[in-house]
Amino acid sequence: MEQQKRYGHFDDQHREYVITDPQTPWPWINYLGNEDFFSLISNTAGGYSFYKDAKFRRITRYRYNNVPMDNGGRYFYIKDGDTVWNPGWKPCKTPLDFYECRHGMSYTRITGKKNGVEASVLFFVPLKKWAEVQKLTLKNESNEVKNLKLFSFEEWCLWNAATDMENFQRNFSTGEVEIEGSTIYHKTEYRERRNHYAFYHVNAPIQGFDTDRETFVGLYNEFADPQAVMEGKPRNSHAHGWSPIASHYIEVTLQPGESKDFVFLLGYIENEQDEKFEAPQVINKDKAHALIAELDTTEKVDKAFAELCEYWDALLNIYKVRTGNDKLDRMVNIWNQYQCMVTFNFSRSASFFESGVGRGMGFRDSNQDLVGFVHQIPPRARQRIIDIASTQFPDGGCYHQYQPLTKRGNNDIGGGFNDDPCWLIFGTVAYIKETGDFSILDEMVPFDNQPGSEVTLFEHLKISMDHVIKNLGPHMLPLIGRADWNDCLNLNCFSWDPNESFQTTENVSEGTKAESLMIAGLFVVTGKDYVALCKKLANGQWSMVNGQCDFSAEAERMQAAVDAMIDAVKKHGWDGEWYLRAYDFYGRKIGSNECEEGKIFIESQGWCTMAEIGAEDGMVAKSLDSCKKYLECEHGMVLNNPAFTKYIYEYGEISSYPEGYKENAGIFCHNNPWVIIGECLAGRGNDAWSHYAKILPSYVEEKYQTLHKVEPYVNCQMVAGKDAFKPGEGKNSWLTGTAAWMWYTVSEFILGIKPDYDGIRIDPCLPETATDYTVQRKFREADYEITIHPNGQQKGVKTITLDGQPISGTVIPYSPGKHIVEVTM
Ligand code: BGC
Ligand code: NOJ
């Protein structure tokens, strides 16, 4: 293989990815913050911060898709004689003597060296604090005294990230700041309805500052050569309107060998209405002072950082595997779980591909993200389920998205995505299996956030199932609505108008025959879960306080609906070698050998094999074989084949993409795990593993440092498929359901450690080459050490001993305490 350029490597011991060349093929980013205050940070310190909601509470400004790419961030300029440089190389791009960026668990450390000076910045958001810490350490490694001029830089966003980028006739007149000692306060719109402000502080006296962008940068200069920095002279500017910024100026003298720490703090504060001001026009800074006081020394900051590291130690101690294969272990133990936390926090709102203004939390997205996160912090997962369910309508339909700040459904996208309701079952069942907490079903949850409309969460699950049953088409398969999981299969849209949104346009739906096999499979999988849950409840697992339900009857009712769906799929959803994908508005087949293009689609193969529909008739095996034959390529499985080569009015957005990209035959990593789980259920461990390894970041890391382009430590949403101009190129990294699905697949189906109501089910599905491995699994109040001896078998547990005693069946019954489990296959 041709030797490719490397930009970095994994450091498993520190749980870091170490970037050694700032000119990565694309900004390689990380996320700071775990709740409430968040930041995105690239390997050159680009990015921005926000409080809870990347649209409504954007704290610092960022310009997407700019020239140069990744323009704007938290920058430190060091002027050493005539040389001006930044520890993260950008924006000055002065060649450095050394550069390193270490992305870790919720922190990033960037170090640069130039002419005998080392500057190292540790960026993180302390637990439970609304602030980003930037601890800068300057060290003189030369033999001479260094007199440095240090400038910090942040640019304020005028809070609403959408209007900040468009309403300039207003924005250029609203900006306001206050300066007090070493703290610069941003208070735009605080005089009227906002009860929040931000600040940028440093724990040292400053010798100057700037708060007006044009004064600091100069109208004809850039971030790369701000005139105040180039001249070594701050202007002490006070912003009135235009674009407020925050820049501190500090003169630093360092003796040979000496080092100094500076703690910069970017904070966010909310005040009560009657406590907003300390004097007319002067903001009340009490809370800011208090926050600063908590983080104004190196010791305090180091302690906060140690706490953050302990927090991650604890989270990553819940599920730990030792297989002896570093590439697998590092993904399972570190990066996959980390990405799951990130997707849980952000859904699809803010990444370097998601602008933070378009989409909030997705109903289907967040339910899926839960499955990757629920073992980490169950109480947060619980709250999320309630928040999601609160955006449902009484008929079981729901808002497709909601805003994290308000938790209200987004009217501009609305509802009508007919797979959405099923995902609520998926998420809730995962939560109960992890925690054993059936009481969540008793929670009173409103519809559309309307007080007074509350019913139990169980009732929400019931109407979710019913929503599918009440919306069946001519083949007794689920009507697709605006779209199912594939947002781009818009079968009731019929748009010739480029100004219309594929997602919200439904020009015709009356009389539609558009049905989805993906929802059919999803309904069978979640329907079986729902039936099992009802049976558990019928057995008195849970006494319903807030409602009455005959759970046995309910289980029977839904089992009948599931059986009917299975029949419908067998009768009308099978194409001979694979499952059909859908029926269009007119009732014509989609994803059939009869079609000219798009003969086979991955989603229905995934869901119908997970549902094991027609396994007894060989349908599952045939479908899985067809995926290998028609969808698989070097980089993973493509979504559909052959790709669409022209726009099809009846299909919508899917056919709008050039061949090989996104939903038109891209490798949509999210749905590869569905087929992999299908393979696991069918016991085909070799095939499951080979599909899995193709999209496992650490496996593609070496080969694709340049081709893949995006971060090699996380999954991206889409890798260009075999029909694309450049197969193997990745896009849309970080915020993708792929994270949760990769986790669910490897932890539960490949390694085979599956939480269940009464304990942990052990059912691995492995390649023949797998050797003995051990999983350390904390589960409720128990701690299991589970060693699996595969003995060359792909599937099938032969014996299990629990603390030395043989048990029958494959479920280790739950009991608190430490346990040793041995499994032979
Ligand atoms: C993308 C989909 C996405 C949808 C969300 C489409 O343009 O291709 O992946 O789900 O937008 O709005
Ligand atoms: C990304 C969206 O976030 C998700 O909801 C959707 O299912 C996929 N794209 C496929 O279209």
PDB file of all heavy atoms in Angstrom, residues 537-548:
ATOM      1  N   LEU A 537     -45.187  -6.231  32.458  1.00  0.00           N
ATOM      2  CA  LEU A 537     -46.075  -5.429  33.296  1.00  0.00           C
ATOM      3  C   LEU A 537     -47.246  -6.271  33.768  1.00  0.00           C
ATOM      4  O   LEU A 537     -47.702  -6.155  34.907  1.00  0.00           O
ATOM      5  CB  LEU A 537     -46.568  -4.200  32.530  1.00  0.00           C
ATOM      6  CG  LEU A 537     -45.456  -3.259  32.060  1.00  0.00           C
ATOM      7  CD1 LEU A 537     -46.017  -2.137  31.183  1.00  0.00           C
ATOM      8  CD2 LEU A 537     -44.711  -2.651  33.232  1.00  0.00           C
ATOM      9  N   ALA A 538     -47.710  -7.149  32.897  1.00  0.00           N
ATOM     10  CA  ALA A 538     -48.825  -8.025  33.273  1.00  0.00           C
ATOM     11  C   ALA A 538     -48.402  -8.938  34.406  1.00  0.00           C
ATOM     12  O   ALA A 538     -49.211  -9.334  35.239  1.00  0.00           O
ATOM     13  CB  ALA A 538     -49.267  -8.846  32.067  1.00  0.00           C
ATOM     14  N   ASN A 539     -47.109  -9.255  34.447  1.00  0.00           N
ATOM     15  CA  ASN A 539     -46.613 -10.106  35.525  1.00  0.00           C
ATOM     16  C   ASN A 539     -46.384  -9.333  36.814  1.00  0.00           C
ATOM     17  O   ASN A 539     -45.711  -9.806  37.713  1.00  0.00           O
ATOM     18  CB  ASN A 539     -45.293 -10.773  35.114  1.00  0.00           C
ATOM     19  CG  ASN A 539     -45.546 -11.894  34.138  1.00  0.00           C
ATOM     20  OD1 ASN A 539     -46.675 -12.393  34.062  1.00  0.00           O
ATOM     21  ND2 ASN A 539     -44.533 -12.274  33.386  1.00  0.00           N
ATOM     22  N   GLY A 540     -46.884  -8.121  36.833  1.00  0.00           N
ATOM     23  CA  GLY A 540     -46.842  -7.348  38.063  1.00  0.00           C
ATOM     24  C   GLY A 540     -45.508  -6.698  38.350  1.00  0.00           C
ATOM     25  O   GLY A 540     -45.172  -6.412  39.484  1.00  0.00           O
ATOM     26  N   GLN A 541     -44.722  -6.456  37.298  1.00  0.00           N
ATOM     27  CA  GLN A 541     -43.455  -5.771  37.489  1.00  0.00           C
ATOM     28  C   GLN A 541     -43.676  -4.341  37.942  1.00  0.00           C
ATOM     29  O   GLN A 541     -42.808  -3.707  38.480  1.00  0.00           O
ATOM     30  CB  GLN A 541     -42.671  -5.740  36.174  1.00  0.00           C
ATOM     31  CG  GLN A 541     -41.961  -7.022  35.854  1.00  0.00           C
ATOM     32  CD  GLN A 541     -40.643  -7.113  36.586  1.00  0.00           C
ATOM     33  OE1 GLN A 541     -40.061  -6.102  36.950  1.00  0.00           O
ATOM     34  NE2 GLN A 541     -40.187  -8.323  36.817  1.00  0.00           N
ATOM     35  N   TRP A 542     -44.837  -3.867  37.658  1.00  0.00           N
ATOM     36  CA  TRP A 542     -45.037  -2.437  37.867  1.00  0.00           C
ATOM     37  C   TRP A 542     -46.514  -2.199  38.139  1.00  0.00           C
ATOM     38  O   TRP A 542     -47.377  -2.690  37.418  1.00  0.00           O
ATOM     39  CB  TRP A 542     -44.613  -1.729  36.590  1.00  0.00           C
ATOM     40  CG  TRP A 542     -44.932  -0.281  36.497  1.00  0.00           C
ATOM     41  CD1 TRP A 542     -44.490   0.714  37.303  1.00  0.00           C
ATOM     42  CD2 TRP A 542     -45.762   0.320  35.515  1.00  0.00           C
ATOM     43  NE1 TRP A 542     -44.970   1.901  36.878  1.00  0.00           N
ATOM     44  CE2 TRP A 542     -45.755   1.695  35.782  1.00  0.00           C
ATOM     45  CE3 TRP A 542     -46.499  -0.147  34.446  1.00  0.00           C
ATOM     46  CZ2 TRP A 542     -46.478   2.604  35.021  1.00  0.00           C
ATOM     47  CZ3 TRP A 542     -47.206   0.751  33.686  1.00  0.00           C
ATOM     48  CH2 TRP A 542     -47.188   2.102  33.971  1.00  0.00           C
ATOM     49  N   SER A 543     -46.825  -1.501  39.186  1.00  0.00           N
ATOM     50  CA  SER A 543     -48.243  -1.230  39.434  1.00  0.00           C
ATOM     51  C   SER A 543     -48.518   0.176  38.957  1.00  0.00           C
ATOM     52  O   SER A 543     -47.886   1.130  39.360  1.00  0.00           O
ATOM     53  CB  SER A 543     -48.541  -1.367  40.916  1.00  0.00           C
ATOM     54  OG  SER A 543     -47.836  -0.381  41.614  1.00  0.00           O
ATOM     55  N   MET A 544     -49.431   0.256  38.055  1.00  0.00           N
ATOM     56  CA  MET A 544     -49.662   1.552  37.428  1.00  0.00           C
ATOM     57  C   MET A 544     -50.470   2.434  38.366  1.00  0.00           C
ATOM     58  O   MET A 544     -51.591   2.109  38.725  1.00  0.00           O
ATOM     59  CB  MET A 544     -50.413   1.313  36.141  1.00  0.00           C
ATOM     60  CG  MET A 544     -50.259   2.446  35.179  1.00  0.00           C
ATOM     61  SD  MET A 544     -51.080   2.000  33.661  1.00  0.00           S
ATOM     62  CE  MET A 544     -50.399   3.205  32.582  1.00  0.00           C
ATOM     63  N   VAL A 545     -49.876   3.517  38.763  1.00  0.00           N
ATOM     64  CA  VAL A 545     -50.542   4.400  39.715  1.00  0.00           C
ATOM     65  C   VAL A 545     -51.505   5.310  38.974  1.00  0.00           C
ATOM     66  O   VAL A 545     -52.617   5.571  39.411  1.00  0.00           O
ATOM     67  CB  VAL A 545     -49.494   5.252  40.465  1.00  0.00           C
ATOM     68  CG1 VAL A 545     -50.171   6.195  41.429  1.00  0.00           C
ATOM     69  CG2 VAL A 545     -48.503   4.349  41.182  1.00  0.00           C
ATOM     70  N   ASN A 546     -51.072   5.764  37.822  1.00  0.00           N
ATOM     71  CA  ASN A 546     -51.821   6.825  37.159  1.00  0.00           C
ATOM     72  C   ASN A 546     -52.802   6.352  36.093  1.00  0.00           C
ATOM     73  O   ASN A 546     -53.394   7.153  35.400  1.00  0.00           O
ATOM     74  CB  ASN A 546     -50.843   7.800  36.519  1.00  0.00           C
ATOM     75  CG  ASN A 546     -50.063   8.543  37.573  1.00  0.00           C
ATOM     76  OD1 ASN A 546     -50.645   9.074  38.501  1.00  0.00           O
ATOM     77  ND2 ASN A 546     -48.753   8.548  37.455  1.00  0.00           N
ATOM     78  N   GLY A 547     -52.918   5.089  35.899  1.00  0.00           N
ATOM     79  CA  GLY A 547     -53.840   4.666  34.862  1.00  0.00           C
ATOM     80  C   GLY A 547     -54.184   3.210  35.019  1.00  0.00           C
ATOM     81  O   GLY A 547     -53.666   2.526  35.896  1.00  0.00           O
ATOM     82  N   GLN A 548     -55.049   2.746  34.206  1.00  0.00           N
ATOM     83  CA  GLN A 548     -55.441   1.352  34.243  1.00  0.00           C
ATOM     84  C   GLN A 548     -55.195   0.754  32.877  1.00  0.00           C
ATOM     85  O   GLN A 548     -55.465   1.368  31.873  1.00  0.00           O
ATOM     86  CB  GLN A 548     -56.929   1.243  34.588  1.00  0.00           C
ATOM     87  CG  GLN A 548     -57.234   1.496  36.050  1.00  0.00           C
ATOM     88  CD  GLN A 548     -56.443   0.572  36.979  1.00  0.00           C
ATOM     89  OE1 GLN A 548     -56.283  -0.600  36.683  1.00  0.00           O
ATOM     90  NE2 GLN A 548     -55.924   1.114  38.072  1.00  0.00           N
TER      91      GLN A 548
END
